[in-house]
Amino acid sequence: MLLGAVLVACSCAPTLTQTALTNGRGRLQVAPEVGAAITGFDERQTVLPSIAVSARYGVTDRFDLGLRLGPGLIELQGKTLLVDPGAARQTKLAVSLAPTLAVAFANVAGVGPFYGRLAVPVLVDVPVGSHRFVFGARLAQVVAPGDARGLNLGWELSGGVSVGFALALGSVVQLVPEVGLDTVLAGRATLLPGASLPQLSVRLGVLFGGSPRAERSTP
């Protein structure tokens, strides 16, 4: 049960593996993601692999909706570009708000009736030619009602930061290595993954579509 719980936490790690840019109206981006999460330290440290796949669709030039599937959970994603899409297309700074909601139901991974995590990250892109540094900061709230034995009961508020680099490979593919750190700010859970312990995450994503070189329609 604890192993499954930590796998859920890995999928909710403080790495988003995307850029601040939205895809553009009618465009789809798909990304396989692999990595690892390191939770805790010393004898309480746990290192486990992470794997997920995500897809994001451009509803408008400024707004994307997405979905991430990982071990034992579903994560809904949104992204709103806070600057002009035309200015952010290739050479200007891009800033976006990218909220996520991750949920696991029915004792999936052994974490109780359900496990929910709402995160509100801010992403900032700094262009380097056709490539981009991606900086992120977020707050996340976890709620887990607990199972019949009273395990996993609790809530936690955490804060996290991340940094990645989007390497543009041609006009439609980006390679995005990223590292993130998340630490608990308040609350206490009895058996949440890495309860009240910091988590370091490393992840590599291959983004197909949504390239920084893609043209945008008129907003």
Side-chain angles (χ1 to χ4, degrees):
M1 180 172 64
L2 182 58
L3 176 60
V6 175
L7 284 173
V8 170
C10 292
S11 298
C12 295
T15 47
L16 286 175
T17 323
Q18 57 179 296
T19 70
L21 283 176
T22 48
N23 292 334
R25 187 191 306 270
R27 292 189 172 94
L28 178 67
Q29 183 181 81
V30 178
E33 306 164 3
V34 296
I38 304 170
T39 303
F41 48 86
D42 298 333
E43 69 275 3
R44 301 178 68 188
Q45 186 178 86
T46 303
V47 181
L48 284 173
S50 170
I51 185 168
V53 61
S54 62
R56 288 173 287 271
Y57 178 76
V59 179
T60 70
D61 278 356
R62 289 183 180 269
F63 181 64
D64 287 355
L65 276 178
L67 182 70
R68 171 181 280 158
L69 300 177
L73 95 166
I74 297 174
E75 181 181 271
L76 303 178
Q77 300 180 339
K79 182 161 60 177
T80 301
L81 190 63
L82 301 180
V83 297
D84 179 73
R89 180 172 58 235
Q90 186 171 3
T91 61
K92 303 294 184 180
L93 194 74
V95 181
S96 66
L97 193 65
T100 65
L101 176 62
V103 180
F105 290 102
N107 287 303
V108 173
V111 295
F114 80 89
Y115 167 99
R117 183 168 192 160
L118 174 65
V120 184
V122 174
L123 294 176
V124 179
D125 283 3
V126 178
V128 182
S130 60
H131 316 297
R132 310 180 78 83
F133 280 103
V134 186
F135 301 95
R138 74 170 187 171
L139 289 175
Q141 175 69 64
V142 168
V143 177
D147 61 16
R149 296 168 294 172
L151 296 175
N152 206 35
L153 180 63
W155 66 272
E156 288 179 352
L157 175 67
S158 65
V161 293
S162 62
V163 60
F165 187 74
L167 178 67
L169 303 176
S171 60
V172 295
V173 179
Q174 297 174 88
L175 189 65
V176 183
E178 188 177 18
V179 60
L181 177 66
D182 192 276
T183 187
V184 175
L185 302 176
R188 175 68 180 177
T190 54
L191 195 63
L192 279 176
S196 300
L197 295 177
Q199 183 182 84
L200 177 68
S201 175
V202 292
R203 186 174 285 178
L204 177 66
V206 184
L207 280 56
F208 297 92
S211 168
R213 300 183 188 180
E215 293 294 324
R216 301 293 200 273
S217 61
T218 302

